[in-house]
């Protein structure tokens, strides 16, 4: 019931803030305007959903992996006393909640809904969970994409280090300049590509219950290390 109440509160938000990008000169985040919910530590952005399955392997859909991993991570962070929200709790597209953005593009409506929710809540961090795919099945490992700001880089570095330790990889975080969420969300935000669904080892990590728990623990560890470390100015 707590989860349901949290998400209903999120979707009841009236969008009073402007959706401004980061200041191009200072790379600082704009000051908050009329926050509806305050003191949120983490907003977990659950990638895809509903008609938008994301990437897939046979009958394994990214949207389902994202939701399960978000739920597991949510529980771990809550157990540590953090205030955590998820922007979808079931299998549906967030574009269906967007009645205010006039566009025929379902994809843009989905992304705009996600960014506006984040900008209303203004958590200390937004972590968007996704699954990667590659044409070559040998490609594997987690990749974390970040904004230009130092705070986002700090969050990404914490997550990338934790995930590399789990996967036994040495991947480096990546500047996600083209990504809509990273350009439009006004608080420290990262996109976590948890692994490659096209790789058997990564796929097992993201779909087998015991391995999923270990993955959630690595994600939660990265987030907690960020939240509990001295914060770099945005």
């Amino acid at each position: 019931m707590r989860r349901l109440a949290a998400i209903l509160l999120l979707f009841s938000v009236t969008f009073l803030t402007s959706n401004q990008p980061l200041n191009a000169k200072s790379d600082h985040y704009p000051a908050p305007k009329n926050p509806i919910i305050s003191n949120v530590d983490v907003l977990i952005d659950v990638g895809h959903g509903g008609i938008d399955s994301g990437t897939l392997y046979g009958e394994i859909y990214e949207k389902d992996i994202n939701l399960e991993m978000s739920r597991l991570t949510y529980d771990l962070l809550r157990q540590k006393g953090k205030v955590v929200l998820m922007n979808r709790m079931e299998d549906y597209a967030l574009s269906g909640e967007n009645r205010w953005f006039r566009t025929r593009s379902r994809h843009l409506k989905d992304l705009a809904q996600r960014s506006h929710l984040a900008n209303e809540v203004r958590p200390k961090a937004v972590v968007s969970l996704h699954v990667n795919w590659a044409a070559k099945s040998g490609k594997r490992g987690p990749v974390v994409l970040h904004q230009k700001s130092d705070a986002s880089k700090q969050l990404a570095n914490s997550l990338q280090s934790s995930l590399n330790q789990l996967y036994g990889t040495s991947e480096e975080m990546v500047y996600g300049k083209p990504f809509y969420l990273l350009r439009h969300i006004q608080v420290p935000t990262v996109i976590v590509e948890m692994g490659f669904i096209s790789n058997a080892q990564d796929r097992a990590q993201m779909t087998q219950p015991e391995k999923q728990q270990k993955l959630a623990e690595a994600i939660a560890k990265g987030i907690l290390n960020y939240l509990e470390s001295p914060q770099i100015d945005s």
Side-chain angles (χ1 to χ4, degrees), residues 37-54:
I37 306 171
S38 59
N39 299 319
V40 174
D41 292 305
V42 183
L43 171 60
I44 301 176
D45 174 64
V46 189
H48 305 283
I51 192 173
D52 179 8
S53 68

Side-chain angles (χ1 to χ4, degrees), residues 110-177:
D110 179 275
L111 293 173
Q113 182 76 353
R114 293 171 187 274
S115 62
H116 271 292
L117 287 170
N119 290 335
E120 280 293 337
V121 175
R122 299 195 71 84
K124 295 181 179 70
V126 176
V127 177
S128 183
L129 296 185
H130 287 266
V131 173
N132 224 332
W133 181 91
K136 296 183 178 180
S137 62
K139 179 69 174 175
R140 64 176 300 267
V143 178
V144 183
L145 299 99
H146 60 82
Q147 298 163 308
K148 189 175 182 180
S149 75
D150 289 338
S152 177
K153 292 177 184 176
Q154 182 183 8
L155 174 59
N157 183 62
S158 182
L159 278 159
Q160 187 72 67
S161 297
S162 182
L163 289 166
N164 279 343
Q165 185 175 6
L166 174 68
Y167 278 80
T169 54
S170 56
E171 297 292 334
E172 296 184 358
M173 60 185 188
V174 176
Y175 176 33
K177 183 177 181 179

